[in-house]
């Protein structure tokens, strides 16, 4: 059993996953399953979350006006809901990234001193 | 596909009372997800379903986000308000009970229980609105009884109690939901 609580790990993930979702959408629109896969691969498995929790997270971003979504229905095959980042989402991402950089740099300086 | 359908059915039950369009869209997206997941893992339904997560837990996240739809919220308000009308005991000037205390008390208990339930499952804002409806229902009952009685007699203690219980409706609608929000532990994943 690890000493740190599962809630601590959960809070770390919770605080960073939304930024990562926005970051994944900066280049092109993507659908849920694609986002899940990329998030897992690029984070080296850190964001190996229950897939069903990702969709509410995306919708939360949508409610905030940070992403937009639309259905793409091919003639044959699976209909997919695509998400794309909005201008507000881009601003939120850049603010969030700045905050993230300050936090990680600050925490690293403190933590490194204790090695 | 039976297992996918039963999974979605379980999620759907957890989304009961949500706006119909939102609920449909959620289920459609989850179905689309499961189809992709099945294609990626060679058709293993139980693996796809397990990776998606416990259906009730998934539904709860959507509920946290969207709450209840307009229809259900209106229904909560209507039920709280109508029950509240019968929570007011009415005494006529001749000291004969029109609607005696032993009849009004069960309604009071029922309305309070209902308000607590609304507050917990639908959140403190929906609870506050339902509680306000309860308060309004009591005021309406009081006003109605006052108007129809030929010689209304209002005692100070009675009026104070009436005002207190009416105000309590609003508080009971709001407080449990607020407390639940404040005390709930952060969810363990995501």
């Amino acid at each position: 059993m690890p000493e740190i609580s599962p809630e601590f790990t959960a809070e770390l993930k919770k605080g960073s996953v939304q930024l990562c979702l926005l970051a994944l959408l900066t280049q092109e629109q993507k659908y849920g399953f694609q986002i899940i896969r990329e998030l897992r691969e690029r984070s080296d498995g850190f964001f190996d979350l229950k897939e069903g929790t990702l969709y509410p997270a995306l919708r939360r971003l949508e409610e905030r006006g940070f992403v937009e979504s639309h259905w793409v229905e091919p003639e044959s095959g699976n209909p997919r809901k695509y998400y794309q980042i909005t201008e507000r989402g881009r601003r939120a991402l850049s603010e969030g990234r700045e905050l993230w950089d300050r936090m990680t740099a600050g925490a690293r300086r403190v933590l490194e001193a204790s090695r | 596909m039976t297992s996918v359908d039963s999974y979605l059915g379980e999620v759907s039950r957890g989304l009961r009372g949500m706006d119909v369009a939102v609920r449909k869209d959620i289920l459609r997206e989850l179905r689309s997800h499961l189809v992709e997941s099945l294609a990626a893992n060679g058709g293993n339904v139980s693996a796809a379903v397990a990776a998606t997560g416990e259906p009730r837990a998934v539904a709860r996240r959507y509920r946290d986000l969207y709450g209840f739809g307009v229809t259900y919220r209106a229904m909560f308000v209507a039920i709280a308000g109508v029950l509240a009308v019968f929570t007011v005991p009415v005494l006529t000037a001749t000291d004969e009970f029109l609607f005696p205390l032993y009849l009004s008390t069960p309604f009071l208990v029922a309305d309070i229980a209902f308000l607590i339930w609304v507050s917990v499952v639908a959140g403190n804002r929906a609870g506050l609105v339902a509680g306000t409806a309860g308060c309004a229902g009591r005021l309406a009952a009081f006003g109605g009884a006052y108007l129809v009685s030929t010689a209304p007699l209002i005692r100070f203690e009675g009026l104070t109690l009436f005002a207190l219980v009416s105000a309590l409706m609003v508080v009971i609608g709001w407080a449990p939901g607020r407390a639940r929000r404040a005390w709930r532990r952060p969810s363990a994943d995501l």
Side-chain angles (χ1 to χ4, degrees):
Chain A
M1 272 297 281
E3 285 294 332
I4 59 169
S5 71
E7 285 80 11
F8 179 75
T9 317
E11 284 296 293
L12 279 184
K13 289 184 184 180
K14 207 168 152 186
S16 48
V17 75
Q18 300 218 319
L19 277 182
C20 291
L21 291 178
L22 287 178
L24 283 174
L25 294 172
T26 48
Q27 302 299 322
E28 52 171 353
Q29 58 171 13
K30 286 170 185 162
Y31 59 95
F33 193 71
Q34 184 183 9
I35 297 171
I36 289 169
R37 218 170 27 202
E38 288 186 16
L39 192 61
R40 186 183 299 140
E41 282 163 15
R42 290 200 202 173
S43 71
D44 245 342
F46 181 70
F47 290 115
D48 190 16
L49 31 101
K50 285 287 176 207
E51 295 165 358
T53 63
L54 177 99
Y55 294 94
L58 282 169
R59 280 163 185 266
R60 214 168 266 281
L61 291 174
E62 191 170 24
E63 291 286 304
R64 298 287 312 273
F66 295 160
V67 302
E68 286 168 351
S69 68
H70 64 274
W71 281 95
V72 173
E73 297 166 54
E75 291 276 315
S76 66
N78 195 26
R80 288 166 171 167
K81 194 176 193 188
Y82 279 84
Y83 292 86
Q84 61 193 53
I85 194 166
T86 62
E87 267 318 302
R88 282 187 64 197
R90 285 184 196 280
R91 286 200 296 275
L93 175 63
S94 98
E95 284 171 25
R97 192 182 290 142
E98 198 179 312
L99 192 64
W100 181 260
D101 288 344
R102 275 176 54 208
M103 186 196 81
T104 48
R108 190 175 299 121
R109 277 195 295 274
V110 175
L111 292 173
E112 288 297 323
S114 73
R115 271 194 206 273
Chain B
M1 290 298 274
T2 324
S3 193
V4 166
D5 286 335
S6 70
Y7 179 86
L8 291 175
E10 186 94 0
V11 175
S12 179
R13 275 191 289 283
L15 303 179
R16 212 172 272 159
M18 222 175 253
D19 275 326
V20 179
V22 173
R23 189 174 169 189
K24 263 194 184 153
D25 192 71
I26 290 170
L27 292 170
R28 190 172 182 219
E29 186 172 34
L30 286 177
R31 183 180 291 280
S32 164
H33 165 81
L34 287 166
V35 169
E36 300 283 346
S37 182
L38 282 174
N41 75 11
N44 186 338
V45 178
S46 48
V49 162
T52 307
E54 212 267 306
R56 289 281 155 167
V58 172
R60 210 173 305 125
R61 284 172 189 280
Y62 284 111
R63 175 76 71 198
D64 285 346
L65 182 59
Y66 293 116
F68 283 83
V70 178
T71 318
Y72 265 62
R73 288 208 307 269
M75 207 167 71
F76 293 157
V77 168
I79 292 173
V82 170
L83 277 178
V85 169
F86 300 100
T87 63
V88 183
V90 177
L91 188 69
T92 64
T94 53
D95 262 12
E96 267 173 45
F97 276 111
L98 266 181
F99 193 71
L101 198 63
Y102 70 81
L103 279 179
S104 70
T105 308
F107 280 100
L108 184 63
V109 172
D111 207 10
I112 286 175
F114 180 71
L115 286 175
I116 292 173
W117 179 80
V118 169
S119 190
V120 169
V121 302
N124 56 312
R125 280 173 65 188
L128 182 66
V129 177
T132 307
C135 186
R138 282 176 61 83
L139 287 174
F142 182 83
Y146 184 84
L147 288 177
V148 296
S149 54
T150 42
L153 173 72
I154 299 171
R155 291 209 193 87
F156 178 71
E157 309 91 87
L159 194 64
T160 309
L161 192 64
F162 170 80
L164 278 177
V165 173
S166 302
L168 191 70
M169 291 275 176
V170 180
V171 177
I172 285 176
W174 175 78
R178 187 68 191 83
R180 177 170 181 252
R181 228 175 62 185
W183 292 332
R184 194 161 50 166
R185 293 196 316 161
S187 50
D189 51 350
L190 194 76

